[in-house]
Amino acid sequence: MGKRNDSALFFTCSLIEQLGRILHRKRGDIAADLGENGVRIIYEHADVLHCEPIAKVADDAIGEFGLTAGDYDNVSEACYAVPDVWTMGKVYARLVEDVSGKDDVVETLLAVYTSWIDERLSDYNAAFYYQPRDYLAECCRQGIVLDG
């Protein structure tokens, strides 16, 4: 079961965001390529990995996990201020915490990143990521964007 304010989860989600930005890939594709084993390795070693600059950890992860570049660039497509890597890491980490229940946090992370909500959260022009965490969790649980 995930715990609230899980710093390892926050770092793992921030690293996925960093990898997506460096490689120009959707965050869900990065998570899927890392797979359960790769995400679990990062999650379980986050207390050590966070001591290095995140850009270095990302570069190391690209080599270690054989991650490749793509052509997805939500950062340059943004018309407004782009949230930083840590902000998006926090959004995803909170969402994973809020929907994990009794499930394994790594399995929940993969389910969230590979669901429809990843594309919505990555659209920095829509600012869906800026919604309250309970709203995001309920949208994720129900599989839809809820009307206000």
Side-chain angles (χ1 to χ4, degrees), residues 25-145:
R25 305 254 328 266
K26 292 183 177 182
R27 303 343 176 226
D29 293 343
I30 295 289
D33 282 0
L34 288 169
E36 185 176 342
N37 187 51
V39 172
R40 194 168 303 283
I41 288 168
I42 292 165
Y43 179 76
E44 290 176 355
H45 294 92
D47 59 334
V48 174
L49 294 172
H50 89 273
C51 296
E52 296 279 354
I54 195 164
K56 181 189 182 311
V57 177
D59 286 343
D60 291 346
I62 290 167
E64 182 174 340
F65 297 106
L67 301 173
T68 58
D71 59 7
Y72 177 77
D73 192 2
N74 62 333
V75 173
S76 69
E77 293 172 3
C79 297
Y80 311 108
V82 175
D84 66 25
V85 167
W86 304 109
T87 297
M88 291 311 297
K90 182 165 48 174
V91 169
Y92 278 96
R94 286 178 173 176
L95 181 56
V96 171
E97 289 172 355
D98 293 346
V99 300
S100 67
K102 296 181 192 249
D103 297 332
D104 178 80
V105 70
V106 171
E107 291 174 10
T108 303
L109 178 149
L110 287 167
V112 166
Y113 272 98
T114 58
S115 77
W116 67 274
I117 206 162
D118 177 58
E119 190 163 331
R120 295 298 300 265
L121 290 172
S122 292
D123 181 355
Y124 300 147
N125 292 323
F128 182 68
Y129 68 88
Y130 196 64
Q131 296 297 320
R133 73 186 282 177
D134 58 340
Y135 173 81
L136 292 177
E138 195 57 33
C139 287
C140 190
R141 280 189 209 95
Q142 292 191 27
I144 58 170
V145 176

Side-chain angles (χ1 to χ4, degrees), residues 8-26:
L9 177 60
F10 168 63
F11 180 82
T12 303
C13 292
S14 298
L15 181 60
I16 290 170
E17 181 68 24
Q18 179 74 19
L19 288 164
R21 290 180 187 204
I22 290 171
L23 295 172
H24 299 285
R25 305 254 328 266
K26 292 183 177 182

